[in-house]
Amino acid sequence: MHNRQLFLSHLAQTTDFPLMIEIEKAEGLYMYGPNGERYLDLISGIGVSNVGHRHPKVLQAMKDQMDKYLHLMVYGEYIQTPQTQLAEALVQTLPDGLDNVYLVNSGSEAVEGALKLAKRYSNRRGIISCVNAYHGSSHGSLSVGGNEIFKRAYRPLLPGISHIHFGKEEDLEDITTDTAAVIMETVQGEAGIRVASESYFKALRKKCDETGTLLILDEIQAGFGRTGKFWAFEHYGIQPDILVCAKGMGGGMPIGAFISSKEIMGHFKNDPLLGHITTFGGHPVSAAASLATIKILQEENIVELVEMKANLFKELLVHPKIKEVRNKGLLMCVAFESFEELKPIIDRAIEMGVVTDWFLFCDDSMRLAPPLVITKEEIKEACEIILKAIEYKA
């Protein structure tokens, strides 16, 4: 059987219409098929490959670690250098009060840990999230998701969840002394790149402080330089009580984390002990890859150039069918009239060698989240192909 047949026969499918692109190799901005096809990746595996595919420094860090050891013990028992060095590097990017890191395997798992921590610390049960929020697909993270289409088949979910509208200051009155936590994407991703104002985030922080509510910021998509700052919350003059990250964190390897203060995180140690457990969290090879990714972002002037690159996309992507381009850095959304208009454009762009996508809760808009290392020339090439795909007539 060919790979295509094996894929359809033996791998669980998530839709009836997978992209079915076969990739043999990837490097930098490009992915390559078995017959010489070349695809310019404008979605980074959905926000993962911030430093590009197979960055040599990430590969070297992984190889060096593989020569030492792989999994040794469930998370939190042995002192493992990749974990301790990664935690230190993460803390150094963060303000005081975010100094304790719990390493996990994915963004959804990080959200689960953050929700448990908020309940355990506050001894409250109410959780507030946003309409059209996306925080993952496991039961807890799905419960705080904000789109009923993806939730209704799996109810009952967690009780005590309510939703407010992102960026709507009057909704903050829903936060009370019964609220354990507000969980919010710093930039809403699957809603189609929705950005709130600095005044909104400051009002949110103030309301959480007044009610003793923990603020969880989800930067699974927005973190690690994606918005033009290392962390997206840096744009708004606030900080969360718990920060959630994953995706661009690992340089292509699976890893996530939730980060808080040592005082808050310490509540996992007692009553009950082992309050959160993960077998593979902070896997040594993934941790080594993540540490290398942080160093690349810090040392190679990548984050500082994000805004310039985003502006170049916006300058070039001008067409009557493009209704709007929304962005926070290189977390970008190109709006069209409808999904029916957009989907053939995405398909044609892929045929022409540029991979884009749409958003779960905003299917009339094209997702652009290229590796942050994309060059001006690659941006021009990509935009030229997208415009050709818009103009194409069969």
Side-chain angles (χ1 to χ4, degrees):
M1 295 177 76
H2 295 297
N3 262 351
R4 183 184 182 92
Q5 294 169 300
L6 292 169
F7 175 85
L8 292 171
S9 297
H10 301 310
L11 275 178
Q13 304 294 299
T14 57
T15 72
D16 287 324
F17 43 90
L19 285 172
M20 297 290 288
I21 302 172
E22 186 172 354
I23 301 299
E24 193 170 77
K25 183 179 179 181
E27 190 165 4
L29 265 288
Y30 295 95
M31 304 179 294
Y32 300 90
N35 300 309
E37 307 94 331
R38 189 186 78 158
Y39 303 97
L40 202 165
D41 184 4
L42 286 190
I43 54 173
S44 307
I46 313 299
V48 169
S49 304
N50 280 15
V51 297
H53 296 281
R54 298 178 61 252
H55 193 291
K57 292 181 180 177
V58 173
L59 294 182
Q60 190 60 54
M62 292 168 59
K63 289 172 183 174
D64 291 345
Q65 181 56 41
M66 285 189 285
D67 285 338
K68 296 173 182 174
Y69 55 83
L70 302 179
H71 176 79
L72 299 178
M73 179 59 165
V74 298
Y75 174 82
E77 296 296 331
Y78 292 176
I79 299 170
Q80 301 180 51
T81 298
Q83 294 179 352
T84 57
Q85 289 185 345
L86 173 57
E88 180 189 30
L90 286 167
V91 167
Q92 287 176 350
T93 70
L94 291 163
D96 294 343
L98 291 169
D99 58 7
N100 218 240
V101 179
Y102 197 117
L103 296 171
V104 292
N105 303 286
S106 68
S108 188
E109 188 182 334
V111 167
E112 296 287 345
L115 294 175
K116 285 177 62 180
L117 181 61
K119 287 183 173 182
R120 177 66 186 86
Y121 176 76
S122 68
N123 201 30
R124 303 175 185 177
R125 294 296 174 263
I127 303 286
I128 292 176
S129 62
C130 287
V131 173
N132 280 340
Y134 183 78
H135 297 289
S137 195
S138 53
H139 258 75
S141 57
L142 189 63
S143 299
V144 293
N147 190 288
E148 187 60 26
I149 291 171
F150 284 84
K151 297 166 66 168
R152 59 192 177 204
Y154 303 104
R155 290 193 177 280
L157 295 168
L158 287 182
I161 309 295
S162 59
H163 294 87
I164 59 176
H165 291 87
F166 183 71
K168 190 174 180 180
E169 202 164 318
E170 51 265 43
D171 280 14
L172 300 180
E173 291 304 312
D174 289 359
I175 304 169
T176 71
T177 52
D178 294 323
T179 310
V182 175
I183 181 167
M184 186 177 293
E185 297 161 276
T186 316
V187 178
Q188 279 202 313
E190 298 307 322
I193 314 306
R194 308 295 174 174
V195 179
S197 66
E198 182 175 345
S199 63
Y200 172 78
F201 276 106
K202 287 186 172 175
L204 168 65
R205 179 68 272 179
K206 183 172 183 287
K207 187 66 174 177
C208 287
D209 289 341
E210 289 171 353
T211 57
T213 300
L214 294 181
L215 175 57
I216 304 170
L217 287 183
D218 176 342
E219 299 217 356
I220 292 168
Q221 288 198 61
F224 285 79
R226 173 63 52 190
T227 66
K229 292 187 181 291
F230 198 92
W231 301 106
F233 70 79
E234 296 177 64
H235 292 283
Y236 302 112
I238 64 157
Q239 70 182 68
D241 300 296
I242 305 174
L243 177 65
V244 176
C245 55
K247 286 191 181 290
M249 178 179 180
M253 289 294 286
I255 191 167
F258 57 104
I259 305 168
S260 190
S261 67
K262 190 170 185 179
E263 190 262 329
I264 292 174
M265 199 75 81
H267 283 69
F268 271 157
K269 294 190 292 185
N270 298 293
D271 205 20
L273 55 79
L274 299 173
H276 193 67
I277 303 172
T278 172
T279 296
F280 293 113
H283 189 282
V285 179
S286 291
S290 182
L291 179 60
T293 299
I294 293 173
K295 289 179 178 177
I296 292 162
L297 291 170
Q298 291 173 333
E299 296 169 3
E300 297 187 8
N301 198 37
I302 292 169
V303 180
E304 292 76 6
L305 297 176
V306 162
E307 196 60 36
M308 177 274 292
K309 294 174 181 180
N311 287 336
L312 182 56
F313 270 108
K314 292 167 78 174
E315 177 187 320
L316 295 173
L317 288 175
V318 177
H319 190 278
K321 288 187 176 180
I322 294 176
K323 304 303 179 186
E324 181 185 16
V325 178
R326 296 188 296 272
N327 78 296
K328 194 69 175 175
L330 285 171
L331 193 56
M332 308 190 75
C333 166
V334 183
F336 291 83
E337 187 65 38
S338 65
F339 178 74
E340 288 71 27
E341 181 176 74
L342 171 63
K343 182 60 165 63
I345 295 169
I346 289 174
D347 293 343
R348 288 193 292 266
I350 291 173
E351 290 171 5
M352 295 175 182
V354 168
V355 177
T356 67
D357 196 11
W358 63 90
F359 297 91
L360 288 179
F361 312 144
C362 186
D363 66 5
D364 62 358
S365 297
M366 177 184 290
R367 180 197 305 268
L368 298 181
L372 306 184
V373 294
I374 192 170
T375 65
K376 289 182 181 180
E377 291 71 27
E378 288 163 335
I379 293 171
K380 291 174 184 176
E381 176 190 355
C383 290
E384 184 178 323
I385 290 173
I386 290 171
L387 293 173
K388 284 181 180 176
I390 294 172
E391 285 288 340
Y392 179 84
K393 292 180 175 61

